[in-house]
Amino acid sequence: MTYATALNRNELFESPGLRRDIPSLLDPEEDVLLVLPGVAGDFPDVMIASASRFLLASVAGPLRRSKIKREIPASQVSGVEYRPGLLTRVRVSHAAGRDIAMVPNRRADAERFAREFDHLIRTGSLPA
Protein backbone atom coordinates (compact mmCIF):
# COMPACT_ATOMS: atom_id res chain seq x y z
CA MET A 1 0.00 0.00 0.00
CA THR A 2 1.21 3.51 -0.68
CA TYR A 3 1.23 6.61 1.51
CA ALA A 4 -1.58 8.19 -0.55
CA THR A 5 -3.80 5.13 -0.16
CA ALA A 6 -3.25 5.00 3.60
CA LEU A 7 -3.81 8.77 3.94
CA ASN A 8 -7.11 8.62 2.04
CA ARG A 9 -8.56 6.29 4.69
CA ASN A 10 -8.81 9.33 7.01
CA GLU A 11 -11.36 12.15 7.01
CA LEU A 12 -8.98 14.80 5.72
CA PHE A 13 -8.84 18.55 6.14
CA GLU A 14 -7.32 20.52 3.30
CA SER A 15 -3.55 20.54 3.75
CA PRO A 16 -1.63 20.27 0.48
CA GLY A 17 1.56 19.60 2.43
CA LEU A 18 0.25 16.20 3.56
CA ARG A 19 0.01 15.12 -0.07
CA ARG A 20 2.93 17.09 -1.51
CA ASP A 21 5.68 17.24 1.13
CA ILE A 22 5.48 14.06 3.21
CA PRO A 23 5.97 11.52 0.38
CA SER A 24 9.47 12.94 -0.19
CA LEU A 25 10.45 11.58 3.26
CA LEU A 26 9.53 8.03 2.28
CA ASP A 27 11.30 5.53 0.07
CA PRO A 28 9.25 5.07 -3.15
CA GLU A 29 9.22 1.30 -2.49
CA GLU A 30 8.26 1.66 1.20
CA ASP A 31 5.10 -0.24 2.15
CA VAL A 32 3.01 2.28 4.15
CA LEU A 33 0.39 0.55 6.29
CA LEU A 34 -1.25 3.29 8.39
CA VAL A 35 -1.28 7.10 8.43
CA LEU A 36 -2.81 9.47 10.99
CA PRO A 37 -2.86 13.25 10.44
CA GLY A 38 -2.40 15.55 13.41
CA VAL A 39 -4.41 18.62 14.36
CA ALA A 40 -5.53 20.60 11.32
CA GLY A 41 -3.38 23.57 10.42
CA ASP A 42 -1.00 24.90 7.83
CA PHE A 43 1.86 22.65 8.96
CA PRO A 44 0.38 19.54 10.63
CA ASP A 45 2.23 16.55 12.01
CA VAL A 46 1.50 13.07 10.72
CA MET A 47 2.13 9.57 12.12
CA ILE A 48 3.17 6.96 9.57
CA ALA A 49 3.48 3.23 10.17
CA SER A 50 5.30 1.35 7.43
CA ALA A 51 6.44 -2.25 7.24
CA SER A 52 9.96 -1.26 8.34
CA ARG A 53 9.56 1.79 10.62
CA PHE A 54 7.25 4.12 12.51
CA LEU A 55 7.73 7.86 12.22
CA LEU A 56 6.33 11.20 13.25
CA ALA A 57 6.82 13.74 10.47
CA SER A 58 6.03 17.42 10.07
CA VAL A 59 4.72 19.21 6.97
CA ALA A 60 7.00 21.96 5.63
CA GLY A 61 6.32 25.61 5.23
CA PRO A 62 7.16 27.67 2.15
CA LEU A 63 10.76 28.26 3.30
CA ARG A 64 11.44 24.95 5.04
CA ARG A 65 11.44 21.30 4.10
CA SER A 66 9.28 18.62 5.62
CA LYS A 67 11.13 16.66 8.27
CA ILE A 68 11.07 13.51 10.31
CA LYS A 69 10.69 14.52 13.96
CA ARG A 70 11.05 11.01 15.45
CA GLU A 71 11.61 7.58 13.95
CA ILE A 72 11.86 4.07 15.35
CA PRO A 73 12.25 0.67 13.68
CA ALA A 74 9.00 -1.30 13.44
CA SER A 75 10.51 -4.05 15.59
CA GLN A 76 10.92 -1.57 18.49
CA VAL A 77 7.24 -0.52 18.61
CA SER A 78 5.67 -2.13 21.68
CA GLY A 79 2.17 -0.65 21.79
CA VAL A 80 -0.28 2.10 20.91
CA GLU A 81 -2.71 3.95 23.15
CA TYR A 82 -5.58 6.37 22.57
CA ARG A 83 -8.24 7.45 25.04
CA PRO A 84 -10.81 9.91 23.68
CA GLY A 85 -11.05 13.33 25.27
CA LEU A 86 -10.18 16.96 24.73
CA LEU A 87 -6.58 17.26 23.46
CA THR A 88 -5.95 13.56 24.03
CA ARG A 89 -2.91 12.19 22.27
CA VAL A 90 -2.22 9.03 20.35
CA ARG A 91 0.81 7.52 22.07
CA VAL A 92 3.04 4.90 20.43
CA SER A 93 5.28 3.06 22.87
CA HIS A 94 8.94 2.48 22.09
CA ALA A 95 10.44 -0.65 23.64
CA ALA A 96 13.82 0.95 24.34
CA GLY A 97 13.17 4.68 24.50
CA ARG A 98 10.78 7.61 24.72
CA ASP A 99 7.20 7.23 23.50
CA ILE A 100 6.02 9.17 20.45
CA ALA A 101 2.81 11.16 20.93
CA MET A 102 0.65 13.44 18.78
CA VAL A 103 -2.77 15.12 19.05
CA PRO A 104 -4.89 13.67 16.20
CA ASN A 105 -7.14 15.74 13.98
CA ARG A 106 -10.27 13.54 14.23
CA ARG A 107 -11.39 11.22 17.00
CA ALA A 108 -12.80 8.60 14.59
CA ASP A 109 -9.51 8.44 12.68
CA ALA A 110 -7.51 8.17 15.91
CA GLU A 111 -9.69 5.32 17.22
CA ARG A 112 -9.38 3.43 13.91
CA PHE A 113 -5.60 4.03 13.77
CA ALA A 114 -5.09 2.81 17.36
CA ARG A 115 -7.30 -0.27 16.86
CA GLU A 116 -5.66 -1.27 13.56
CA PHE A 117 -2.12 -0.49 14.74
CA ASP A 118 -2.66 -2.55 17.90
CA HIS A 119 -3.84 -5.46 15.72
CA LEU A 120 -0.78 -5.00 13.49
CA ILE A 121 1.58 -5.07 16.49
CA ARG A 122 -0.04 -8.20 17.95
CA THR A 123 -0.52 -10.23 14.74
CA GLY A 124 1.86 -8.77 12.16
CA SER A 125 -0.94 -7.89 9.72
CA LEU A 126 -3.72 -5.35 9.39
CA PRO A 127 -7.29 -6.42 10.22
CA ALA A 128 -9.24 -7.81 7.27
Side-chain angles (χ1 to χ4, degrees):
M1 184 165 24
T2 66
Y3 169 78
T5 304
L7 182 64
N8 286 336
R9 296 179 69 210
N10 296 286
E11 292 182 33
L12 294 177
F13 54 91
E14 200 52 43
S15 174
L18 283 174
R19 297 194 186 280
R20 182 188 62 234
D21 299 338
I22 299 299
S24 66
L25 299 174
L26 304 169
D27 184 307
E29 301 299 317
E30 193 164 4
D31 190 18
V32 176
L33 304 171
L34 295 169
V35 173
L36 179 65
V39 173
D42 292 336
F43 313 111
D45 289 343
V46 61
M47 287 183 158
I48 303 168
S50 77
S52 61
R53 62 186 175 155
F54 175 82
L55 53 105
L56 176 64
S58 177
V59 171
L63 301 176
R64 298 183 318 183
R65 296 176 38 174
S66 54
K67 66 179 181 178
I68 295 174
K69 290 178 146 184
R70 299 269 317 275
E71 177 179 5
I72 56 175
S75 62
Q76 293 292 310
V77 174
S78 61
V80 62
E81 177 184 324
Y82 174 72
R83 281 176 274 161
L86 187 62
L87 297 177
T88 303
R89 298 170 183 260
V90 172
R91 184 172 308 281
V92 175
S93 301
H94 183 226
R98 249 180 37 218
D99 294 350
I100 298 175
M102 178 190 77
V103 178
N105 184 51
R106 306 239 338 136
R107 175 182 176 176
D109 291 336
E111 289 173 343
R112 180 192 50 78
F113 178 86
R115 184 179 57 253
E116 291 180 0
F117 198 29
D118 182 59
H119 188 273
L120 178 64
I121 293 166
R122 287 184 293 107
T123 66
S125 64
L126 290 173

